[in-house]
Amino acid sequence: YMYEYIASLSEEEISKGIAPLPGVMETLERLARLKEEVACGLVTGNVEGIARRKMKAVGIYQTGALATPSAEQQEQNQLYP
């Protein structure tokens, strides 16, 4: 049920009341420039598919800092977009 619920929300609805902590976006943007030297991932405490939607809604994914998901994660993403 959680996946269906989050999938039904717009990014605006998902991001309501949540935001990266101060300095996070700037740090991720710096890490993105070092992507050849540094692999970056985030631990959120959320179920992966829901965390991904939340990170997209608040702009974290768009920084380009996060490492490409593993083949296993990519397969799961096809099951739970």
Side-chain angles (χ1 to χ4, degrees):
Y1 174 76
M2 292 185 306
Y3 290 108
E4 290 83 12
Y5 174 72
I6 200 82
S8 73
L9 298 176
S10 70
E11 288 195 358
E12 184 178 308
E13 292 170 312
I14 293 169
S15 66
K16 187 174 183 178
I18 62 172
L21 293 172
V24 167
M25 298 302 285
E26 295 81 5
T27 300
L28 289 173
E29 289 165 359
R30 273 187 254 134
L31 288 169
R33 292 190 295 272
L34 299 171
K35 199 164 188 170
E36 295 297 318
E37 302 168 38
V38 177
C40 182
L42 294 177
V43 177
T44 66
N46 282 284
V47 177
E48 189 273 334
I50 293 171
R52 185 174 8 94
R53 285 289 319 266
K54 288 181 176 181
M55 288 190 287
K56 284 181 181 178
V58 298
I60 289 174
Y61 260 55
Q62 294 83 329
T63 65
L66 301 181
T68 304
S70 69
E72 181 180 338
Q73 289 173 317
Q74 290 176 6
E75 182 178 313
Q76 288 176 352
N77 291 346
Q78 290 173 0
L79 296 174
Y80 303 107

